[in-house]
Amino acid sequence: MMKVEEIDAINYKNNEATEAKEKVVLDETITLTINNEISRSLSAIEDSLEEFAVGYLFNENMVNSMDAIKKIEVNGVQINAEIDDTLLKTNETVLCSDSAGGWRSKIKHVNPVQSTFQVHVSELIDRIEELKDNAEIWQATGGTHVAGIVYKDQFVVKEDVSRHVAVDKVIGYGLLHDFDLSQSYVIYSGRMPADMVIKMTRAGVPILASNAAPANSGYNIAKKGNITLVGFLRGQRCNVYNNQNRVIFD
């Protein structure tokens, strides 16, 4: 079921104002509680919350294997997770929004992604169009970010009001469905700063592609993490940054 509702609005067009009903995305306050002691609340769409929780735990450096996740329970907008807390005791685990301080650009140690995966540029061009075609809530409201993960012939798309949550959901989906993330790529709508690129390194995804641009912090993390960035992916154009050998042009 598409998570939208209608609200009253005034539509102004061609010098004329008319009353209208407009669709908006229905977001909720989602709460993720970890080991009954850490709580994280955020605005998100009440959809694919198990996938979100798995992706979040990996991308925030709280776990590094599925074996470390003991249980995830979703009850409406409440998510309860039990995990092995080994990584919670490290210095680089984050318990709040990464975008608030841009701290990820200052991470000193990044484990580089080891992958020989390659993709043809024509596939990336086709996938960015498919991403838009599959973004039902975005088409209806314009109020979401869209992310997709590609593994072999599988292409899974998720939407959310937060680009972070959308990416967490597709990575979580891949982990829950036994995708080899080292042979996958993520494609999404939005900029590519450090806080997004580090998600790829922690998940082990070698390529991040977007219709938008990288930030310098994202470019630097991509160099440290051995990630290929593909930006300005629209129409028949794109820019490829770092490890350009992963994208086939001929």
Side-chain angles (χ1 to χ4, degrees):
M1 181 178 179
M2 194 159 57
K3 302 291 185 176
V4 301
E5 63 178 11
E6 287 191 341
I7 60 173
D8 295 324
I10 297 293
N11 184 279
Y12 181 76
K13 185 177 181 180
N14 297 328
N15 295 320
E16 183 179 354
T18 58
E19 294 185 356
K21 293 286 188 181
E22 291 293 331
K23 293 179 179 178
V24 295
V25 60
L26 184 60
D27 56 335
E28 305 279 357
T29 299
I30 307 296
T31 301
L32 170 61
T33 303
I34 302 163
N35 290 358
N36 293 318
E37 55 181 296
I38 299 168
S39 185
R40 166 84 163 94
S41 293
L42 66 157
S43 180
I45 298 173
E46 188 185 344
D47 176 65
S48 304
L49 295 185
E50 181 182 11
E51 288 91 339
F52 159 68
V54 171
Y56 182 89
L57 292 170
F58 271 81
N59 297 335
E60 301 305 314
N61 204 33
M62 295 183 179
V63 299
N64 55 18
S65 75
M66 289 298 292
D67 291 338
I69 302 176
K70 300 176 181 178
K71 182 171 65 174
I72 293 176
E73 293 180 343
V74 178
N75 183 14
V77 296
Q78 305 291 324
I79 312 169
N80 292 303
E82 292 182 16
I83 65 172
D84 181 326
D85 66 355
T86 301
L87 287 182
L88 289 177
K89 299 173 183 176
T90 67
N91 292 328
E92 290 190 347
T93 295
V94 61
L95 305 180
C96 60
S97 173
D98 302 303
S99 57
W103 68 273
R104 280 182 163 162
S105 63
K106 302 177 178 63
I107 291 176
K108 295 179 180 178
H109 179 71
V110 174
N111 291 322
V113 173
Q114 303 301 323
S115 174
T116 58
F117 177 73
Q118 292 181 302
V119 63
H120 199 281
V121 66
S122 62
E123 179 178 332
L124 294 174
I125 290 169
D126 290 343
R127 291 300 192 189
I128 198 71
E129 292 302 317
E130 287 184 62
L131 192 73
K132 292 190 296 183
D133 291 342
N134 283 279
E136 295 182 359
I137 303 176
W138 176 79
Q139 290 183 38
T141 69
T144 62
H145 287 278
V146 191
I149 188 167
V150 180
Y151 174 56
K152 296 183 178 179
D153 61 348
Q154 299 182 69
F155 183 32
V156 177
V157 174
K158 301 290 181 181
E159 298 180 70
D160 213 283
V161 292
S162 162
R163 59 193 169 92
H164 286 271
V165 175
V167 170
D168 288 340
K169 285 179 177 180
V170 294
I171 289 177
Y173 182 96
L175 290 162
L176 284 167
H177 292 82
D178 298 321
F179 285 19
D180 181 349
L181 298 188
S182 72
Q183 301 296 307
S184 306
Y185 64 90
V186 167
I187 188 165
Y188 90 118
S189 61
R191 296 178 305 108
M192 296 180 285
D195 55 1
M196 187 58 67
V197 179
I198 195 65
K199 289 178 182 286
M200 302 301 109
T201 68
R202 287 174 170 168
V205 177
I207 300 173
L208 174 63
S210 173
N211 60 353
N216 186 58
S217 62
Y219 175 76
N220 289 331
I221 286 290
K223 286 197 295 186
K224 292 179 183 179
N226 199 31
I227 300 294
T228 301
L229 300 182
V230 182
F232 297 106
L233 185 60
R234 57 179 78 112
Q236 294 298 308
R237 64 159 294 183
C238 66
N239 290 345
V240 182
Y241 310 87
N242 298 325
N243 302 296
Q244 289 92 339
N245 60 298
R246 289 198 180 116
V247 178
I248 302 168
F249 295 100
D250 54 16

